[in-house]
Every structure is written in structure tokens, then in C-alpha cells.
């Protein structure tokens, strides 16, 4: 029974109530977050019927409504873009799915005050095997004064973020976000179609005993990371080692679990990915903002992810994120040993 959720606050009620906390409070950000949550519900519905592909039609085929079935990441991208366009608070979007920024209108008088960076369906290769996926989003206030928005609106460090969040499509779907006043998590109650406040003021435990990394690339990691991983595997009763390795392959899901239970997620540089794999604007920054707001840390090895100044919308960055003491420990190893992967 999840009746207790019905008596609690919905996301819409919560963001309206919190409007006064926003740095620029005119209601636009409230509407923008609400647009995101509407698209999230639609994507949740589609992700949940992914297993019915034989019944509903495969990608590229026509479904019973005569629509061509889209790949879910394309579908999610279109849903979020449509919701943001309809809302009118955003002048431009940067998406993992699109090489260039997307202008919401061609009008030179577009007055959308915000830009959104997003990964509409992160970990989408996991869908076919019924594994959790997620949407990640970051909201900046535009820096240009008017017009349809330009690339400089996006090239702001994470310290300038107005909001960051993610939706996890898992055993239940959740929306977790921050506007810089702590982190709150909302669970979708499908029976009423509302995200309900289930995780108020989330805090990441300062320590944990889970580490998440694609250890298959061990030989390709920098020496500092190799040394840290050996540290995670050593026996030590006092610090609860060896730790457990948990790697889903969906960053949102790995991050979410670590935030609840305590843990560390690492995607360092490798020989074949000398800047790491994950994208600064729409994967690392929003999660780094949430991690810090929940009392955790996010670093690229020697400094905060949030301080990295982007040079392009699809920039990559190595990331170490999660429980503060675990991240500090990994940083110690990187500073002591090489941070560069050598072949
Ligand atoms: P994607 O945006 O193409 O889905 O890739 C991002 C995903 C992350 O969710 C995950 O942590 C990582 O890529 C896994 O990569 P790897 O298979 O190299 O471990
Ligand atoms: Mg991704």
C-alpha cells in the first residue's frame, strides 16, 4: 500500500511553494520544472511499455495508431523538446541527441529567459534488458539579453546553474532536483499520475561501501585510479573494506543508488577516452550540483566539476562523484599518483 504518498505533497504543489526560494522568482522556473515533469511522465509511460515491443511494433514499424515507432531515446528527446517549446520559458536547448543547439523559435524577440541542457534518455542501451534508465537536465539563465539564444548561453560553468535534476525510470520512477536549496526527490504514483514528495531534503552519507566503475577498463585507467581501486578491494575492518562493486551502466541509476546508500561513482579518463566519456553540460554538471547540495562531492580529479568552464556543448570530463569522504580519498590517490592514463 502506498496510500501515504497520497497525503503528501505533489511536485507541482512543492515547486509553487518553493517559488520564493528561486534566485529570479517570477514563476517562469516553476512552469519550466512543471513542463519537464509532464514530459517525464510521458517518457515513463513509453519506457514502461518497452517490453511490449512485439505487441506494439518494433522501431521503424507502424504501430496500431499508424505512427512509426521511434527509438526511445529519439522519442524522449522529442517529448522534452515539445514540452519545453510549449512552455515558452526556454529560448534554446542543448541535447545529447542533437549536434547543434535547438532554438525554440526563430523570432528575434524570443523572451524565454532560460536555456536547458539535457540527456533525454541516458543509458538507453539498457532498455532492451529491462534495466533502469534516466533523463538528466540542467537549467541556466541565458546570458544573452534577447533573441533566439546562442551557444554562449550554454558555455557557463556549473556554478551558474539555476537548477539541475534527473528522472530515473526504474522499479518506480522518481524525479530528483535542486535549485540550490537542498535536494528533494519525488516518486511517481502512477495511480494518480503525480510525482509525490517521497525523499525530502536528501543527504548523501559522508561515507559508504559501494564503488561504481567500469572495472573492465582497469588496464586503461590512470595509475591513481588503479591504486584507488586496489584500496577499495583491500581488507580493513575499520573502514569496512573491501567495498562492494555495483555498476549498472546507467549513470543516473548508479548515482541515485549511491546517493541513497552512500558510495562513489567514477568515470575517469581512459587510454581510448582521454577526456573521459561523460558529458559535462548534461550528464556531469547537473549530478554534481545535486551531489554538492546533498552534502557530497564531485571532482574531475583535482577540482570541482562545477568550476569547469565549457568550450563546447558536448564537452566531456572525467568524473568522481558521491560520498564526500570517498571522493576525497580517491582524489588523494590521483594527486599522489598519475592522473593520466598511459598505454
Ligand atoms: P549514453 O549517454 O550513450 O547512454 O552513455 C552514458 C552512459 C552512462 O549512463 C554510463 O554510466 C556510461 O555511459 C557507461 O559507459 P561504459 O559502458 O563505457 O561503462
Ligand atoms: Mg548519456
Amino acid at each position: 500500500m502506498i496510500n501515504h504518498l497520497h497525503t503528501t505533497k505533489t511536485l507541482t504543489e512543492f515547486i509553487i511553494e518553493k517559488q520564493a526560494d528561486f534566485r529570479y522568482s517570477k514563476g517562469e522556473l516553476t512552469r519550466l520544472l512543471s513542463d519537464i515533469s509532464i514530459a517525464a511522465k510521458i517518457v515513463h509511460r513509453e519506457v514502461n511499455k518497452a517490453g511490449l515491443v512485439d505487441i506494439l511494433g518494433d522501431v521503424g514499424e507502424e504501430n496500431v495508431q499508424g505512427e512509426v515507432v521511434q527509438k526511445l531515446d529519439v522519442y524522449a528527446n522529442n517529448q522534452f523538446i515539445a514540452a519545453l517549446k510549449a512552455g515558452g520559458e526556454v529560448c534554446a536547448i542543448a541535447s545529447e541527441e542533437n549536434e547543434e543547439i535547438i532554438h525554440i523559435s526563430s523570432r528575434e524577440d524570443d523572451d524565454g529567459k532560460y536555456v536547458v541542457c539535457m540527456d533525454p534518455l541516458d543509458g538507453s542501451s539498457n532498455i532492451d534488458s529491462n534495466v533502469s534508465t534516466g533523463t538528466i537536465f540542467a537549467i541556466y539563465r541565458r546570458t544573452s539579453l534577447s533573441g533566439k539564444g546562442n551557444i554562449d548561453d550554454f558555455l557557463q560553468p556549473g556554478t551558474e546553474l539555476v537548477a539541475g535534476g534527473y528522472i530515473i525510470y526504474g522499479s518506480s520512477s522518481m524525479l530528483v532536483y535542486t535549485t540550490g536549496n537542498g535536494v528533494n526527490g519525488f516518486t511517481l504514483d502512477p495511480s494518480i499520475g503525480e510525482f509525490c514528495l517521497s525523499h525530502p531534503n536528501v543527504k548523501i552519507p559522508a561515507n559508504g561501501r559501494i564503488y561504481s566503475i567500469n572495472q573492465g577498463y582497469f588496464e586503461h585507467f590512470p595509475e591513481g585510479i588503479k591504486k584507488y581501486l586496489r584500496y577499495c578491494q583491500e581488507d580493513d575492518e575499520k573502514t569496512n573494506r573491501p567495498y562492494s562493486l555495483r555498476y549498472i551502466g546507467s549513470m543516473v541509476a548508479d548515482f541515485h543508488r549511491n546517493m541513497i546508500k552512500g558510495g562513489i561513482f567514477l568515470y575517469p579518463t581512459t587510454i581510448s577516452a582521454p577526456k573521459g566519456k561523460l558529458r559535462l553540460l548534461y550528464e556531469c554538471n547537473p549530478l554534481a550540483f545535486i551531489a554538492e547540495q546533498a552534502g557530497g562531492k564531485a571532482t574531475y580529479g583535482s577540482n570541482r566539476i562545477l568550476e569547469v568552464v565549457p568550450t563546447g556543448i558536448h564537452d566531456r570530463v572525467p568524473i568522481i562523484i558521491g560520498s564526500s569522504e570517498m571522493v576525497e580519498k580517491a582524489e588523494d590517490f590521483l594527486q599522489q599518483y598519475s592522473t593520466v592514463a598511459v598505454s
Side-chain angles (χ1 to χ4, degrees):
M1 286 288 274
I2 49 169
N3 278 342
H4 63 282
L5 284 179
H6 295 186
T7 57
T8 185
K9 230 172 235 118
T10 67
L11 174 64
T12 317
E13 287 165 350
F14 184 87
I15 50 188
I16 290 171
E17 204 178 284
K18 292 284 166 190
Q19 191 171 314
D21 291 350
F22 296 156
R23 264 186 271 175
Y24 313 95
S25 171
K26 282 206 189 126
E28 290 107 326
L29 188 58
T30 304
R31 282 197 294 276
L32 174 44
L33 287 167
S34 152
D35 295 339
I36 289 175
S37 79
I38 291 168
K41 287 183 213 173
I42 297 170
V43 173
H44 156 89
R45 188 191 64 199
E46 288 309 297
V47 166
N48 272 273
K49 9 185 248 217
L52 297 171
V53 83
D54 288 342
I55 303 164
L56 300 176
D58 214 336
V59 168
E61 285 176 5
E62 279 192 9
N63 64 16
V64 282
Q65 279 97 35
E67 303 152 343
V68 175
V69 178
Q70 292 171 332
K71 277 183 69 187
L72 273 171
D73 40 12
V74 176
Y75 180 88
N77 197 37
N78 292 340
Q79 286 302 329
F80 280 98
I81 293 170
L84 295 172
K85 272 191 178 166
E89 290 80 32
V90 169
C91 65
I93 302 167
S95 165
E96 174 167 338
E97 295 290 326
N98 300 78
E99 201 46 45
E100 308 288 337
I101 64 173
I102 304 155
H103 298 286
I104 293 301
S105 78
S106 50
R107 294 196 340 250
E108 285 310 322
D109 62 342
D110 191 327
D111 56 0
K113 289 196 174 55
Y114 296 97
V115 295
V116 169
C117 312
M118 64 172 181
D119 185 349
L121 201 59
D122 185 56
S124 52
S125 61
N126 278 325
I127 292 260
D128 290 344
S129 38
N130 226 334
V131 171
S132 301
T133 50
T135 296
I136 316 176
F137 62 91
I139 303 173
Y140 287 104
R141 200 172 164 82
R142 70 188 296 175
T143 50
S144 54
L145 296 176
S146 61
K148 56 192 178 129
N150 61 55
I151 189 154
D152 291 332
D153 293 323
F154 293 91
L155 302 185
Q156 307 185 51
T159 46
E160 298 302 315
L161 279 169
V162 172
Y166 62 84
I167 298 111
I168 177 169
Y169 310 101
S171 48
S172 56
S173 288
M174 277 190 75
L175 189 152
V176 178
Y177 82 98
T178 182
T179 52
N181 292 296
V183 177
N184 291 284
F186 300 80
T187 301
L188 182 64
D189 181 344
S191 66
I192 57 167
E194 292 281 0
F195 283 103
C196 297
L197 180 61
S198 52
H199 295 62
N201 197 19
V202 183
K203 292 290 170 209
I204 308 184
N207 234 317
R209 51 174 317 275
I210 292 175
Y211 72 106
S212 313
I213 187 167
N214 189 336
Q215 203 156 280
Y217 303 147
F218 186 87
E219 291 304 332
H220 297 183
F221 291 145
E223 196 51 30
I225 294 289
K226 289 182 184 169
K227 287 272 198 299
Y228 176 69
L229 296 180
R230 289 200 192 96
Y231 165 88
C232 293
Q233 296 159 4
E234 276 166 15
D235 270 316
D236 182 53
E237 232 175 274
K238 233 175 64 209
T239 51
N240 254 320
R241 284 177 294 146
Y243 297 153
S244 286
L245 169 62
R246 295 280 183 271
Y247 192 69
I248 294 172
S250 282
M251 188 194 196
V252 170
D254 278 311
F255 174 80
H256 182 75
R257 182 208 50 240
N258 290 354
M259 183 165 74
I260 303 294
K261 295 190 167 181
I264 184 170
F265 173 95
L266 310 94
Y267 208 113
T269 61
T270 67
I271 292 166
S272 52
K275 293 181 173 163
K277 174 186 180 187
L278 301 174
R279 316 298 183 119
L280 175 61
L281 285 191
Y282 43 77
E283 291 177 326
C284 299
N285 262 341
L287 298 189
F289 192 22
I290 289 180
E292 288 197 4
Q293 284 293 317
K297 283 197 158 186
T299 167
Y300 56 85
S302 49
N303 203 355
R304 293 165 75 204
I305 292 281
L306 293 181
E307 288 181 25
V308 179
V309 180
T311 57
I313 57 172
H314 299 293
D315 279 6
R316 297 173 197 270
V317 70
I319 185 166
I320 303 173
I321 184 168
S323 294
S324 57
E325 288 176 24
M326 297 177 90
V327 172
E328 280 162 18
K329 192 74 189 173
E331 255 182 336
D332 286 350
F333 277 96
L334 276 170
Q335 270 148 35
Q336 205 178 333
Y337 300 94
S338 165
T339 56
V340 182
V342 275
S343 47

